[in-house]
C-alpha cells in the first residue's frame, strides 16, 4: 500500500507538531503520526492545544488510546473534522499508566473489545482507521495472539495493520525495556502478511536504516521507522528518493533548516519557546564535523528566555558541509 510504504512511528514526548513539521521537510511521502492521545484527554482536555497541527504536515495521522468504543468514535470524529488523514488505535504501548487505563498493549488480551472499538470508529468517520499492535503480550503465543487480533480488527473494518515485531511484557519490564529487551520476531509479521495477503501490513520495531526497510518491503507493504528517524533525522532525507523514486524535498540538512525558519519565526511570534522546537534537532548532524558544537550551542542558548532564530543560525554555522556517511544506510 503506497500510502503507508514509509512512516515515522508515533512516539510519546517526541513526535509533537514541531517534530512532525521538521520531519515533513525531509520527506513529502512519509506518513507522520501524532503522539498517542487518550480519548479522555481529547473529550475533556484542551483540545486546541492537544490536536493542533500545521497544514504542511499532511499526510498526518492521529493516534488514539482508549478502550471505550463510544468515546473513541467521538474522538475519531473530532480528529477527522480537524483534518487528520487517518485515525490509528494504539494496542501496543506497554506503560503502567496505559495498562491502568485499560488501553495500549493490554488490549492484546481483548481482541473482541478492540474490534468493537474499530467498528465504532469506522462508523463515525470516512477516513482510514488503522491499528498498531504488538505480536503479543506476556505468555501469549505470538502466532495465535497476533492472528486472532488481526482477524478480529480486519473483520471490524480496520484498513491497515501496523505491527511492532516484539512482545510487550506487562509484568517485569519498564516501557524503555519493552522497546529493547523482548527479541524482535519479524517472521511473525511476515507470516501474518502471507496469511492475509489482502490486508496492508506495516512492520515496526528495531528498523535502523532505509536499507533494512527495503529488505522488509520484500515481505510486507510498509515500514515504520521509530527511534532511528528521531535520533538521526538525516536518514529521512533519503526516503522519497530511495523508497518512492522521487526527488527529496531538500538536498541537505542545512537546506531543511533554512526551509524551517519561517515556521520557527511564526511559532516564536506565537509565544512558543525556541527550545520546544530545537530539542528535536539534536541528531540532525550526527556524524558531521561540528555536530557536537551545534548541540552544545543549542543546549546553552536555545533554552534561554527570548531565544530567537539567530541562536539556531549561529549553531548551524558551527557545522561543516559534509553529509553524513551512507545517507540511505
Amino acid at each position: 500500500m503506497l500510502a503507508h510504504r514509509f512512516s515515522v512511528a508515533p512516539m510519546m514526548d517526541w513526535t509533537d507538531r514541531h517534530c512532525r513539521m521538521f520531519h515533513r521537510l525531509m520527506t513529502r511521502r512519509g506518513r507522520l503520526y501524532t503522539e498517542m492521545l487518550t480519548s479522555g484527554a481529547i473529550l475533556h482536555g484542551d483540545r486546541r492545544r492537544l490536536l493542533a497541527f500545521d497544514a504542511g504536515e499532511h499526510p498526518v495521522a492521529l493516534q488514539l488510546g482508549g478502550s471505550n468504543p463510544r468515546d473513541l468514535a467521538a474522538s475519531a470524529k473530532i480528529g477527522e473534522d480537524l483534518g487528520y488523514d487517518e485515525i490509528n488505535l494504539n494496542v501496543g504501548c506497554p506503560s503502567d499508566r496505559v495498562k491502568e487505563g485499560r488501553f495500549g498493549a493490554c488490549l492484546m488480551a481483548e481482541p473482541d473489545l478492540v474490534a468493537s472499538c474499530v467498528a465504532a470508529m469506522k462508523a463515525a468517520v470516512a477516513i482510514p482507521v488503522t491499528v498498531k499492535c504488538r505480536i503479543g503480550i506476556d505468555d501469549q503465543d505470538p502466532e495465535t495472539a497476533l492472528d486472532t487480533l488481526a482477524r478480529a480488527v480486519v473483520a471490524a473494518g480496520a484498513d491497515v495493520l501496523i505491527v511492532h515485531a516484539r512482545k510487550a511484557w506487562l509484568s517485569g519490564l519498564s516501557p524503555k525495556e519493552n522497546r529493547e529487551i523482548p527479541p524482535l520476531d519479524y517472521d511473525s509479521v511476515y507470516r501474518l502478511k502471507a496469511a492475509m495477503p489482502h490486508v496492508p501490513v506495516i512492520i515496526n520495531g528495531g528498523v535502523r536504516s532505509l536499507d533494512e526497510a527495503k529488505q522488509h518491503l520484500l515481505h510486507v507493504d510498509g515500514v515504520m521507522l521509530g527511534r532511528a528517524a528521531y535520533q538521526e533525522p538525516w536518514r529521512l532525507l533519503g526516503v522519497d528518493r530511495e523508497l518512492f523514486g522521487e526527488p527529496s524535498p531538500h538536498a541537505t540538512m542545512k537546506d531543511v533548516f533554512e526551509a524551517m525558519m519561517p515556521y520557527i519565526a511564526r511559532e516564536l511570534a506565537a509565544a512558543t519557546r525556541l527550545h520546544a522546537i530545537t530539542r528535536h534537532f539534536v541528531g540532525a548532524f550526527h556524524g558531521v564535523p561540528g555536530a557536537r558544537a551545534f548541540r552544545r550551542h543549542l543546549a546553552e542558548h536555545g533554552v534561554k528566555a527570548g531565544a530567537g532564530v539567530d541562536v539556531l543560525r549561529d549553531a548551524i554555522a558551527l557545522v561543516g558541509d559534509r553529509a553524513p556517511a551512507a545517507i540511505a544506510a
Side-chain angles (χ1 to χ4, degrees):
M1 187 177 187
L2 203 57
H4 287 80
R5 184 171 174 82
F6 178 86
S7 53
V8 177
M11 292 174 280
M12 295 293 291
D13 299 323
W14 288 7
T15 52
D16 64 17
R17 61 191 180 92
H18 307 309
C19 174
R20 298 193 302 268
M21 193 65 188
F22 178 45
H23 287 172
R24 176 56 68 219
L25 292 175
M26 287 174 269
T27 168
R28 296 185 184 94
R29 298 300 302 272
R31 184 162 285 245
L32 305 178
Y33 286 75
T34 69
E35 306 168 87
M36 183 188 68
L37 295 170
T38 67
S39 55
I42 290 173
L43 296 177
H44 307 296
D46 184 348
R47 198 174 298 170
R48 182 175 179 182
R49 178 182 63 82
L50 291 170
L51 294 171
F53 69 96
D54 189 281
E57 293 176 36
H58 290 293
V60 59
L62 170 63
Q63 189 184 65
L64 297 178
S67 57
N68 182 298
R70 182 183 58 196
D71 289 351
L72 285 168
S75 299
K77 181 65 172 129
I78 290 167
E80 180 185 49
D81 289 345
L82 288 173
Y84 282 96
D85 300 294
E86 170 189 335
I87 304 298
N88 177 260
L89 180 63
N90 184 317
V91 191
C93 183
S95 79
D96 291 339
R97 184 171 62 85
V98 166
K99 183 169 60 174
E100 290 165 5
R102 203 183 177 201
F103 52 93
C106 65
L107 291 176
M108 292 289 300
E110 300 185 75
D112 291 341
L113 175 58
V114 178
S116 296
C117 293
V118 169
M121 290 188 288
K122 284 292 291 183
V125 301
I127 56 177
V129 172
T130 65
V131 173
K132 187 172 189 292
C133 65
R134 293 279 183 134
I135 60 172
I137 55 172
D138 298 334
D139 293 321
Q140 285 183 329
D141 173 60
E143 197 160 346
T144 302
L146 180 58
D147 185 80
T148 300
L149 181 81
R151 292 187 183 281
V153 299
V154 168
D159 296 285
V160 176
L161 296 174
I162 304 167
V163 186
H164 185 153
R166 283 187 174 96
K167 269 190 173 185
W169 288 90
L170 302 182
S171 301
L173 293 182
S174 70
K176 181 178 186 297
E177 290 169 333
N178 261 303
R179 291 192 294 268
E180 299 168 352
I181 291 177
L184 287 159
D185 182 1
Y186 295 133
D187 286 343
S188 283
V189 187
Y190 297 165
R191 284 195 296 270
L192 177 70
K193 175 59 190 177
M196 306 180 75
H198 62 292
V199 178
V201 174
I202 315 304
I203 202 164
N204 171 231
V207 184
R208 295 168 294 186
S209 70
L210 298 189
D211 283 345
E212 289 184 17
K214 290 177 185 178
Q215 293 303 308
H216 287 302
L217 288 169
L218 299 174
H219 305 278
V220 293
D221 302 287
V223 176
M224 178 176 273
L225 210 64
R227 283 171 290 166
Y230 187 88
Q231 294 169 347
E232 298 177 341
W234 53 266
R235 294 183 182 278
L236 299 179
L237 287 169
V239 167
D240 292 5
R241 181 181 66 252
E242 296 290 328
L243 301 184
F244 294 91
E246 299 176 5
S248 301
H250 299 285
T252 70
M253 189 58 71
K254 288 192 175 184
D255 294 334
V256 169
F257 280 124
E258 195 57 42
M260 187 89 180
M261 290 298 177
Y263 173 85
I264 296 173
R266 289 198 308 271
E267 286 297 318
L268 295 178
T272 299
R273 291 177 65 98
L274 182 68
H275 177 67
I277 304 171
T278 59
R279 72 186 184 93
H280 301 298
F281 300 165
V282 172
F285 294 106
H286 182 81
V288 177
R292 184 175 298 175
F294 169 81
R295 294 193 299 270
R296 185 184 305 118
H297 191 84
L298 288 183
E300 291 177 1
H301 302 284
V303 296
K304 295 178 180 177
V309 292
D310 56 312
V311 171
L312 178 57
R313 289 193 183 279
D314 289 344
I316 294 169
L318 299 171
V319 180
D321 289 324
R322 180 173 67 80
I327 196 74

